Amino acid sequence: MDQIQHKYITVQGLKLHVADIGTGPNVVVFLHGFPEIWYTWRHQMIALANAGFRAIAPDYRGYGLSDPPPQPEKATFLDLDNDLLAILDALAIPKVFLIGKDFGAWPAYIFACLHPERTLGVVTMGVPYMPKSSSPQFIKHLPEGFYISRWQEPGGRAEADFGRLDAKTVIRNVYILFSRSEIPIAAENQEIMDLVDSSTPLPPWFTEEDLEAYGKLYEKSGFQTALQLPYRAIKDGLGIPDSTIEVPALFIMGKKDYVYEFPGMKDYINSEKLKEFVPDLEIVFLPEGTHFVHEQSPEQVNELILTFLQKHI
């Protein structure tokens, strides 16, 4: 971890934090989900640097050590695409592999669609490519207490739910919730944070030191941008037309990931429809994998990533 360098790149007036390790000519950019920041990729970044790659992990605008946008409630997925493009230009990097997990898969797919000439390949975890015209409409089939529905509410319910706890406790609760195979759904008069009892232990692969690192970064950033990106912004779509991903792609799905239980998700992933939109796609299922496969089983995930990268250099 001490070998990871930290730098700031100014994009559209915002100082964006970037973690960077390795000096190889082949560059991999890691795109985090929620409730994550660059630190979520610590195992992968070190493994790839040791294998001769350069590994870069930015904090999105409004996350971790990066500046928040002036109007967080207006942040879009295209902002993340523009930020990523500006970071690569500032670092004089012509082409990259992209690795995205959870909603981090979406900026990876957007970049591959809009900038295929700069994309060598895409690895995603937990969330498949879902063009709006064919994606499973799971929200319609889940009750009002579904966590995404709650966090999409603009009236401040999520802010109030998070706001009564310190940042570290919010991250702790979300990590516990998202590590389960059940979809997080609250009762009508229950808040999402109340789905986790204070005596529940952290997942065995997530230490108190890890939680401390996350907590400190979210104390700085808060959750305003995180609620907008992804949860509220996704209602307007990804900001790109339905497109085919033409670059090589690997999709890793934990079979105990709660996202796999979304209505229609299993059928979509296992059907040929997904490969219609991502023709050069390899899908790998990890039988014991949860939503955080890269932290839960880093050696297994690192091997899958390195095999893919070396195949497409």
Side-chain angles (χ1 to χ4, degrees):
M1 289 289 286
D2 293 341
Q3 296 174 355
I4 296 176
Q5 299 178 349
H6 298 271
K7 59 191 69 173
Y8 290 88
I9 296 172
T10 300
V11 178
Q12 299 178 43
L14 303 179
K15 285 201 311 180
L16 302 183
H17 168 253
V18 176
D20 190 349
I21 184 173
T23 57
N26 298 300
V27 182
V28 181
V29 174
F30 290 91
L31 302 168
H32 63 78
F34 176 80
E36 298 149 6
I37 27 77
W38 76 267
Y39 182 87
T40 195
W41 298 112
R42 59 200 179 281
H43 305 300
Q44 286 69 44
M45 294 181 74
I46 292 168
L48 264 60
N50 289 339
F53 292 87
R54 182 179 180 184
I56 295 171
D59 287 335
Y60 302 137
R61 53 174 57 201
Y63 277 81
L65 296 172
S66 290
D67 285 347
Q71 295 179 293
E73 71 280 1
K74 294 185 178 180
T76 70
F77 284 99
L78 286 180
D79 288 334
L80 301 186
D81 175 77
N82 292 332
D83 290 346
L84 177 54
L85 188 63
I87 288 170
L88 296 182
D89 287 345
L91 297 175
I93 297 171
K95 292 186 176 185
V96 293
F97 288 99
L98 298 171
I99 299 182
K101 181 259 167 184
D102 183 59
F103 92 84
W106 295 335
Y109 295 134
I110 292 169
F111 192 90
C113 285
L114 296 182
H115 314 286
E117 75 287 351
R118 300 190 68 168
T119 311
L120 293 167
V122 176
V123 180
T124 55
M125 302 171 207
V127 175
Y129 181 52
M130 296 183 290
K132 199 167 186 180
S133 63
S134 64
S135 63
Q137 300 299 308
F138 50 82
I139 288 182
K140 295 179 181 177
H141 303 287
L142 289 166
E144 172 274 338
F146 176 46
Y147 79 99
I148 291 180
S149 300
R150 287 282 182 85
W151 293 350
Q152 283 183 338
E153 290 180 23
R157 185 168 182 174
E159 285 86 343
D161 188 18
F162 288 6
R164 61 202 168 99
L165 305 170
D166 60 53
K168 185 176 171 181
T169 302
V170 173
I171 299 301
R172 175 187 172 277
N173 288 355
V174 177
Y175 251 82
I176 291 169
L177 271 181
F178 285 9
S179 297
R180 296 171 178 170
S181 56
E182 300 83 22
I183 301 172
I185 297 174
E188 185 175 346
N189 296 317
Q190 182 185 36
E191 301 306 321
I192 300 298
M193 288 294 102
D194 294 331
L195 290 171
V196 179
D197 187 272
S198 61
S199 64
T200 305
L202 287 167
W205 38 264
F206 193 72
T207 68
E208 287 291 340
E209 290 77 15
D210 295 332
L211 179 59
E212 187 71 27
Y214 277 80
K216 283 182 179 177
L217 289 171
Y218 274 95
E219 281 173 12
K220 176 191 179 297
S221 67
F223 295 96
Q224 188 177 10
T225 307
L227 285 167
Q228 172 65 17
L229 280 171
Y231 300 103
R232 295 168 184 171
I234 196 57
K235 290 192 288 186
D236 298 323
L238 298 181
I240 58 172
D242 286 2
S243 304
T244 302
I245 305 293
E246 299 292 352
V247 300
L250 169 66
F251 177 55
I252 302 170
M253 188 80 206
K255 284 205 167 181
K256 293 186 177 179
D257 188 331
Y258 72 91
V259 174
Y260 197 48
E261 300 301 322
F262 285 2
M265 188 64 79
K266 283 182 185 177
D267 289 342
Y268 177 69
I269 292 172
N270 290 291
S271 71
E272 290 303 309
K273 181 166 282 192
L274 178 53
K275 290 194 176 183
E276 289 177 16
F277 292 104
V278 193
D280 191 1
L281 175 66
E282 177 186 358
I283 301 175
V284 175
F285 291 101
L286 300 184
E288 298 301 314
T290 66
H291 193 58
F292 300 100
V293 288
H294 64 302
E295 291 181 284
Q296 175 193 9
S297 304
E299 291 182 4
Q300 191 174 10
V301 169
N302 293 350
E303 184 178 347
L304 289 170
I305 290 172
L306 282 168
T307 299
F308 174 83
L309 297 178
Q310 287 159 353
K311 190 188 304 182
H312 297 290
I313 289 174

